Amino acid sequence: MIPPGNTLGMLGGGQLGRMFTVAARTLGYRVLVLDPDPGSPAGRIADEHLHSAYGDAWALEQMAARCAVVTTEFENIPAQTLHTLAGLIPVRPGARALECTQDRGREKAMIQSLGLETAPFERVTHKEQIKAALAAVGTPAILKRAALGYDGKGQVGVASLAAAEAGFDHLGQVPCVLEQRLPLEREISVVLARGVGGETLCYPVAENIHRHGILHMSIVPARIDHATAQAACRAAIQLAEALEYCGVMAVEFFITTAGELRVNEIAPRPHNSGHYTLDACVTSQFEQQVRAICALPLGDTRLLSPVVMVNLLGDLWADGEPRWGALLEHPAAKLHLYGKSQARPGRKMGHFCVLGDDRDRIITEAETLFAALSGEVQHGS
């Protein structure tokens, strides 16, 4: 066990690192953040911030010498950085888990090897492979970068061979996966924690609604039956065990119009759809991350109230500061801003949660409050 008073290392200084830092310091730990951005949200509130490249030898020596354990806030930390640190101090989750999820093709193959279903897909590394891949997958399809894609970035819709070839050029002719676009009823996610000794706990399943490829709203409990929720949790635990995972992770799922459960992707870190846990669960996903990597007992994941979480993107700042009045006046709305100095379209600047006993009512309230932030008139949910 790593008790309070020790220093925890965080690779990455974004909002996930920031919320981890708040949880860690609340529990009495110090936090050392490594992020090349001198104004990173996590670095600005951590005890110490090394604004160096992730592969900087001096910075890694400092982390190894001063931290009891190191964790990550996003999956695209260079693999060599993880291996270097893992030879000196505990790194949780381990390099293997992150390496597996850094490549969509590798990740999907691992998922299928466990007997879990994904959308049909084919790897594409050269333009000459597109025709055969499209014949195997069919249309409509989505062409995605194998690495470094997120929030709808690094992917294009495909309805024909010409569109697939043009999309491959648009994505820079880097390795991709071509994935069948499934007819969906809804999308859900499971956030879970796995401890050093292999113990696992799942949070209540979130139902996710996206806009332009970016998560807009998470609804908890999800509007699905108990059997589907249980199946999603079992699959998420199976993936965590296969990765020998330690920490908090999320698994995103598709539910097709035929009622099939398909794994979409794995996020080896706390997840946007788990932000509701900050306000609506006994233990937040960020406190849980601290507990898991420090070999503490995992915290209670019970949902205390139905909740709706809404993302706040930089688009809301296009005409100046959002109109906070209605949101701040709502007695059961909780605002979280991430301390980012510059708002850009599509950039996650914060989120808010609305709690209440009636799930349908708080969905409507959340959409009304979101519309009010930009001065729009809300005409229903």
Side-chain angles (χ1 to χ4, degrees):
M1 187 178 73
I2 300 171
N6 279 279
T7 297
L8 312 182
M10 169 56 73
L11 295 170
Q15 65 266 18
L16 300 178
R18 180 186 179 95
M19 289 181 271
F20 169 88
T21 298
V22 171
R25 294 189 66 178
T26 299
L27 287 172
Y29 294 91
R30 294 173 54 82
V31 179
L32 173 61
V33 167
L34 173 59
D35 190 287
D37 178 5
S40 71
R44 289 169 62 183
I45 67 167
D47 294 278
E48 297 181 75
H49 177 200
L50 302 177
H51 42 89
S52 301
Y54 294 118
D56 183 85
W58 175 85
L60 298 184
E61 288 174 3
Q62 292 297 306
M63 293 199 87
R66 296 155 66 181
C67 298
V69 62
V70 170
T71 191
T72 57
E73 70 128 24
F74 71 108
E75 51 266 49
N76 292 316
I77 300 294
Q80 187 55 53
T81 294
L82 299 170
H83 286 298
T84 298
L85 286 171
L88 302 168
I89 54 172
V91 176
R92 297 169 180 158
R96 175 175 169 268
L98 271 71
E99 285 179 317
C100 181
T101 58
Q102 285 175 346
D103 181 275
R104 292 181 190 274
R106 188 161 59 235
E107 177 184 86
K108 290 178 183 297
M110 185 275 291
I111 292 168
Q112 291 184 345
S113 75
L114 298 175
L116 302 173
E117 292 191 80
T118 68
F121 77 98
E122 293 288 329
R123 300 173 190 257
V124 175
T125 56
H126 302 288
K127 201 168 187 177
E128 294 74 21
Q129 298 172 314
I130 293 177
K131 185 175 181 179
L134 195 63
V137 169
T139 57
I142 308 172
L143 186 68
K144 301 179 178 180
R145 287 175 178 263
L148 302 177
Y150 66 98
D151 286 345
K153 300 178 178 68
Q155 58 183 260
V156 292
V158 169
S160 66
L161 176 59
E165 291 176 337
F168 190 67
D169 291 337
H170 174 73
L171 295 175
Q173 298 189 355
V174 297
C176 294
V177 295
L178 184 69
E179 179 182 301
Q180 186 181 111
R181 186 188 289 273
L182 299 172
L184 300 184
E185 176 187 298
R186 66 190 74 236
E187 298 179 55
I188 63 172
S189 59
V190 174
V191 173
L192 78 153
R194 186 170 187 268
V196 172
E199 63 279 19
T200 57
L201 284 177
C202 289
Y203 283 92
V205 179
E207 175 185 347
N208 301 318
I209 297 171
H210 294 80
R211 292 183 178 177
H212 310 295
I214 304 176
L215 180 63
H216 167 61
M217 172 183 287
S218 292
I219 301 164
V220 187
R223 294 172 292 186
I224 59 175
D225 59 53
H226 179 70
T228 301
Q230 290 295 101
C233 289
R234 286 195 301 270
I237 291 171
Q238 186 178 357
L239 289 166
E241 291 176 343
L243 292 170
E244 298 179 338
Y245 198 84
C246 180
V248 171
M249 62 177 267
V251 183
E252 299 177 17
F253 296 88
F254 297 135
I255 300 176
T256 70
T257 52
E260 300 167 315
L261 185 69
R262 305 284 185 99
V263 180
N264 177 23
E265 60 185 31
I266 302 166
R269 50 174 171 76
H271 194 251
N272 194 173
S273 68
H275 290 350
Y276 76 88
T277 64
L278 284 163
D279 299 309
C281 288
V282 175
T283 308
S284 78
Q285 64 170 343
F286 300 102
E287 178 183 338
Q288 198 77 287
Q289 185 182 14
V290 175
R291 288 177 166 273
I293 69 170
C294 291
L296 304 180
L298 297 180
D300 192 338
T301 59
R302 275 181 301 147
L303 187 70
L304 299 174
S305 164
V307 59
V308 173
M309 187 282 299
V310 180
N311 269 335
L312 303 176
L313 305 183
D315 311 64
L316 285 171
W317 278 255
D319 297 320
E321 196 73 11
R323 302 177 184 182
W324 300 116
L327 179 61
L328 294 175
E329 290 172 2
H330 192 294
K334 304 293 185 180
L335 176 63
H336 300 260
L337 294 176
Y338 303 151
K340 297 181 179 180
S341 58
Q342 184 179 4
R344 297 191 297 269
R347 191 183 196 196
K348 293 173 182 174
M349 301 296 291
H351 71 270
F352 69 85
C353 291
V354 180
L355 288 76
D357 295 332
D358 186 324
R359 180 176 56 191
D360 291 337
R361 179 177 58 79
I362 61 175
I363 292 171
T364 301
E365 289 181 357
E367 288 287 30
T368 300
L369 291 171
F370 179 74
L373 291 173
S374 59
E376 295 177 5
V377 177
Q378 180 71 11
H379 297 292
S381 61

